[in-house]
Amino acid sequence: MNLAVISDVHGNLDALKAVFEDMEKRNIDSVISLGDLVGYGPSPNGVVEFIRNKKVLNIVGNYDSAVIYDDFKYIRHNEINEFFVPWTRKELKEENINYLKSLPDNIELKIKNKKLVFVHGSTRSINEYLKENSHEAKDTMKEFDGDILFCGHTHIPYKKEYDEKILINVGSVGKSKMGTPECSYVIVNFLQDKVSFDFVKVKYDYEKVCHMMEKKEFPHKSINTIRTGIE
């Protein structure tokens, strides 16, 4: 059995489709999304509807929350977000807003005697960054009562072991911060009593997305991030 975990699509439908095409080649059994379906990218409705149609298990992200509640407390209050929050809120269909409002903050699963917990930021806050080797990550894992914690939010994938517990950041599908414009996601493989992880990178036509953003007169800095993987 295997499970794919994705996060931070951020309105980038082309990236999301590329990741699912990659999953089909790998015969993935099921998919979980760690939120932030919207924000930054040009296709928020397309992304939400794609996830809904695929019946993907999903949780709410901090940017999703900022958009649906029109509240900057979930995200950084800067010039980029001052553009994207109202733009995305206006663009989203009401049925898709209601879907985002219905999402849980976390998911817990028991597989092969392992407790798996899925969050967007951390177990403590939807917008806490669990950067690799950070004090926040160390403190979170000290308190964590499961076996494997999956998070997104930082857009940079990594695996870190804390004694018997494991922290997995799955990176970002639609807004890379890896220094390259690729998508990233993680495959979890369950073989008897063992669990292994494959960190996957997927190429896609990011220039097509950038052209769409340019036509919509999105901020240049946000377009450049899609091209370079650097924020």
Side-chain angles (χ1 to χ4, degrees), residues 142-157:
K142 184 177 181 180
E143 300 168 3
F144 179 56
D145 65 354
D147 297 294
I148 309 171
L149 178 62
F150 295 87
C151 67
H153 191 44
T154 71
H155 298 211
I156 301 175

Side-chain angles (χ1 to χ4, degrees), residues 6-17 20 33 35-56 58 64 88 91-93 96 99-100 103 173-174 209 212:
I6 66 174
S7 189
D8 296 275
V9 181
H10 283 297
N12 191 336
L13 182 59
D14 289 79
L16 181 61
K17 287 181 176 179
F20 268 79
S33 168
D36 272 8
L37 296 185
V38 303
Y40 303 117
S43 308
N45 286 304
V47 167
V48 174
E49 288 160 8
F50 187 95
I51 291 292
R52 291 175 64 189
N53 290 337
K54 293 288 185 181
K55 295 181 170 57
V56 173
N58 189 32
D64 301 327
T88 307
E91 189 79 3
L92 275 173
K93 298 175 183 176
N96 291 331
Y99 166 76
L100 293 174
L103 295 175
V173 168
V209 178
M212 292 172 63

Side-chain angles (χ1 to χ4, degrees), residues 103-188:
L103 295 175
D105 293 329
N106 64 77
I107 294 171
E108 292 188 11
L109 297 177
K110 196 70 175 285
I111 302 176
K112 300 289 185 179
N113 295 317
K114 299 286 187 182
K115 180 180 177 181
L116 282 61
V117 178
F118 304 83
V119 298
H120 181 72
S122 78
T123 53
R124 306 186 297 187
S125 172
I126 194 173
N127 58 0
E128 182 176 32
Y129 288 95
L130 297 186
K131 296 180 180 180
E132 189 171 6
N133 299 319
S134 66
H135 292 298
E136 291 84 359
K138 182 179 179 180
D139 291 345
T140 294
M141 294 306 289
K142 184 177 181 180
E143 300 168 3
F144 179 56
D145 65 354
D147 297 294
I148 309 171
L149 178 62
F150 295 87
C151 67
H153 191 44
T154 71
H155 298 211
I156 301 175
Y158 69 85
K159 173 189 173 186
K160 178 76 175 181
E161 295 183 13
Y162 293 84
D163 296 323
E164 299 298 316
K165 296 180 283 189
I166 300 173
L167 173 59
I168 301 289
N169 192 306
V170 305
S172 170
V173 168
K175 187 174 182 282
S176 171
K177 295 182 184 178
M178 300 182 294
T180 59
E182 298 160 305
C183 314
S184 64
Y185 75 99
V186 170
I187 301 171
V188 191

